[in-house]
Amino acid sequence: MIVTLIIVCEVGFWVLLAAGLGARYLLRMPRTGAALLLCEPLLEVLLLVVTAMDLKNGADPSWRHGLAAVYIGFTVGHGHRTVKWLDGHAAHRFGGAPPPRKPPRHGMARARHEGAVWLGTAVAAAVASALLLLAMWYVGDAGDTDGLRQTIYAVWRAAGIHGLIALSYAIWPKKDPGGGSALPARDPQHVPDLPVRGPRKDEEQV
């Protein structure tokens, strides 16, 4: 049941996102579009309530409950960035807005971008861990909570690996291949004409 609800929430997330963007840019109904987008957090609230009710009814804590917490945490940590990215592309495609800026690919700008993405992962891990700890406290000694505890370890292990990858961009910045070790090319029209020299003296004597 929990896994099925997670799938339903994931499908509902994209359905609401598409409906909200369609209403905002295709139907020219920005308020309706914003209302649809604001309904997305209700999916996570529904999943949280159902998970708590399942535990309250005596279900043994399992990886399914851990997966629900991870899903909610991921949505909190990265959902806003996903919505903003898609909104920028929809505004450009259907609303006449300029194209969204692409994320940097080189140098410290890329490192800062990767660090910001990792912060979303850290938020996701913190939210998931808080929900799992609440579930463990709620169950108490009445059930086996080792699965939930292992999920917390796995979440922070994944966040740590992501953090090391993000840190590598700051330690070893990726160089721009077009960053140019050679002098920049100039427009031939802006190159000054060289003076025409006459023949040398030794050439005149030949």
Side-chain angles (χ1 to χ4, degrees):
M1 176 180 172
I2 299 297
V3 176
T4 302
L5 186 57
I6 292 175
I7 296 174
V8 170
C9 288
E10 179 66 12
V11 173
F13 173 85
W14 292 105
V15 169
L16 286 175
L17 180 58
L21 295 178
R24 174 178 292 184
Y25 297 110
L26 295 179
L27 302 179
R28 298 295 188 269
M29 301 171 63
R31 293 184 178 180
T32 302
L36 290 171
L37 294 176
L38 289 176
C39 288
E40 289 181 344
L42 297 179
L43 297 174
E44 282 67 48
V45 174
L46 174 63
L47 179 59
L48 180 61
V49 171
V50 172
T51 302
M53 291 178 61
D54 191 48
L55 291 173
K56 184 177 181 180
N57 292 333
D60 292 330
S62 65
W63 64 270
R64 298 175 182 83
H65 303 94
L67 182 61
V70 172
Y71 175 81
I72 295 173
F74 182 86
T75 304
V76 173
H78 292 286
H80 176 72
R81 180 178 291 103
T82 302
V83 172
K84 184 178 179 180
W85 181 78
L86 290 173
D87 182 72
H89 282 275
H92 168 60
R93 180 66 178 83
F94 304 108
R101 296 180 59 184
K102 295 182 179 180
R105 300 178 59 185
H106 309 100
M108 293 306 297
R110 173 68 180 272
R112 288 189 292 270
H113 170 75
E114 296 295 335
V117 175
W118 176 80
L119 284 177
T121 300
V123 171
V127 171
S129 299
L131 293 176
L132 291 169
L133 289 173
L134 285 174
M136 292 168 60
W137 171 80
Y138 185 75
V139 174
D141 298 331
D144 185 10
T145 58
D146 287 341
L148 302 182
R149 188 176 293 105
Q150 292 299 323
T151 302
I152 295 177
Y153 296 152
V155 164
W156 283 107
R157 190 180 304 117
I161 294 174
H162 187 189
L164 290 176
I165 295 174
L167 183 61
S168 68
Y169 286 95
I171 299 177
W172 300 287
K174 189 175 181 181
K175 295 182 180 180
D176 187 355
S181 54
L183 293 175
R186 294 185 295 179
D187 190 338
Q189 297 179 356
H190 297 151
V191 178
D193 295 333
L194 296 177
V196 179
R197 297 183 300 175
R200 296 181 300 179
K201 293 182 179 180
D202 55 352
E203 292 177 350
E204 294 177 351
Q205 296 175 357
V206 176

